[in-house]
Amino acid sequence: MVVNYIWEAIIKAEQNGGSPKDICFVVADVYSPYMEVNNVMLNTRVVEEQIEINPYYRFYDIFRDLFDPNNNEHMELRQQIFDILIHFLADIDRMQGMNKQEYYSRFVIHDMETGMFGDSCREKSKLFSQAEKEVIAANLLRLYETGEALHLFKDTVRKLFKNSILYANQEGKDELLLYIGQTETSAARDKLTLLETIFLPLPFHTEVYWGNHFGIIDVEETMQIDSIALY
């Protein structure tokens, strides 16, 4: 995403794991009348902590008198007011561009981060990027609507853990066999635990295989010597 508007800067910062509060909007000394965000590099995708903008591109009626070149008094105060107003306007921009699901997802993510799903969920939610939290929130909303817990657990795991495969035990057990095609780490294990807590029905439990797949007869890829996990 190339940052052309203030709302894009806010979204990009969140996708990078930052917070809109970390961004300071300032009036550019020199700016193009045809652009809102005046980056030094025209097509940069990096969000700086301080972003220079042209306040008259869309908000001339609001800011036309705030930075009159003939008035140099109280510049620091006016800059602070300007920064607060631009954050407010960017938030309105985002609200106008959101659909109902995105709006609800923000509340779900907020609840996860503030402990409404429990302290464990709050701590483990810090391990996820903003994009990953949005995946979880979207599927959690679908869970409320459809009740398809296993399907949504599988969908979430596959989106967050590439090369993962989920098997259901066909022997009448409430058991899932989950192959994760990556090395086990404490962070990855905590992430998976959170997904299990949110999506899996209580009777179910999982057997997780990290890195090495368990052997399946007649499936050659799973029967490699020294690369077979035991079930």
Side-chain angles (χ1 to χ4, degrees):
M1 174 193 293
V2 178
V3 177
N4 292 319
Y5 294 93
I6 53 176
W7 59 270
E8 291 177 316
I10 298 294
I11 292 175
K12 186 65 178 176
E14 290 181 343
Q15 290 176 341
N16 292 339
S19 167
K21 296 178 182 177
D22 298 331
I23 297 176
C24 177
F25 291 104
V26 299
V27 178
D29 292 329
V30 179
Y31 50 78
S32 165
Y34 307 106
M35 300 176 63
E36 185 162 80
V37 175
N38 284 255
N39 294 309
V40 176
M41 301 295 291
L42 189 60
N43 294 315
T44 183
R45 297 174 184 272
V46 177
V47 178
E48 305 290 346
E49 292 184 358
Q50 179 171 296
I51 297 178
E52 296 185 353
I53 70 170
N54 169 11
Y56 309 120
Y57 181 73
R58 286 191 294 159
F59 307 118
Y60 175 78
D61 289 341
I62 299 174
F63 296 113
R64 62 185 178 183
D65 297 325
L66 188 60
F67 292 99
D68 186 325
N70 298 314
N71 183 2
N72 294 320
E73 295 182 351
H74 311 298
M75 288 301 296
E76 184 176 349
L77 173 61
R78 282 190 281 166
Q79 169 54 46
Q80 292 292 330
I81 294 173
F82 176 76
D83 183 42
I84 293 170
L85 288 175
I86 290 296
H87 274 89
F88 179 67
L89 292 169
D91 208 32
I92 292 176
D93 267 352
R94 294 187 60 187
M95 295 291 185
Q96 290 177 333
M98 293 170 66
N99 59 35
K100 187 181 292 185
Q101 177 169 318
E102 290 171 327
Y103 188 74
Y104 289 155
S105 290
R106 292 188 64 183
F107 286 100
V108 173
I109 293 171
H110 177 267
D111 287 348
M112 289 172 56
E113 294 175 337
T114 55
M116 294 296 289
F117 289 91
D119 292 338
S120 177
C121 179
R122 183 190 62 206
E123 290 302 314
K124 290 182 174 63
S125 69
K126 298 174 183 176
L127 300 170
F128 295 88
S129 66
Q130 182 64 24
E132 290 175 330
K133 290 177 186 175
E134 290 173 0
V135 169
I136 297 171
N139 275 350
L140 187 55
L141 290 172
R142 290 175 61 192
L143 177 63
Y144 292 152
E145 295 174 354
T146 67
E148 297 178 341
L150 293 182
H151 168 72
L152 292 169
F153 174 69
K154 177 182 178 181
D155 184 72
T156 310
V157 170
R158 293 188 65 179
K159 288 177 177 174
L160 270 54
F161 294 94
K162 304 301 181 185
N163 303 318
S164 63
I165 305 174
L166 183 66
Y167 301 89
N169 192 316
Q170 299 295 321
E171 297 180 350
K173 300 179 181 177
D174 292 332
E175 181 183 62
L176 300 174
L177 306 180
L178 180 58
Y179 165 70
I180 304 291
Q182 68 178 63
T183 304
E184 181 180 9
T185 64
S186 60
R189 188 169 58 248
D190 285 346
K191 281 184 171 183
L192 183 60
T193 299
L194 177 59
L195 300 185
E196 292 172 347
T197 303
I198 290 177
F199 290 101
L200 277 188
L202 286 176
F204 277 83
H205 71 277
T206 59
E207 290 288 338
V208 184
Y209 298 86
W210 298 89
N212 293 330
H213 200 290
F214 53 86
I216 302 176
I217 296 174
D218 293 335
V219 180
E220 185 176 351
E221 291 81 1
T222 68
M223 300 295 283
Q224 304 297 321
I225 297 175
D226 295 332
S227 299
I228 303 175
L230 297 178
Y231 170 60

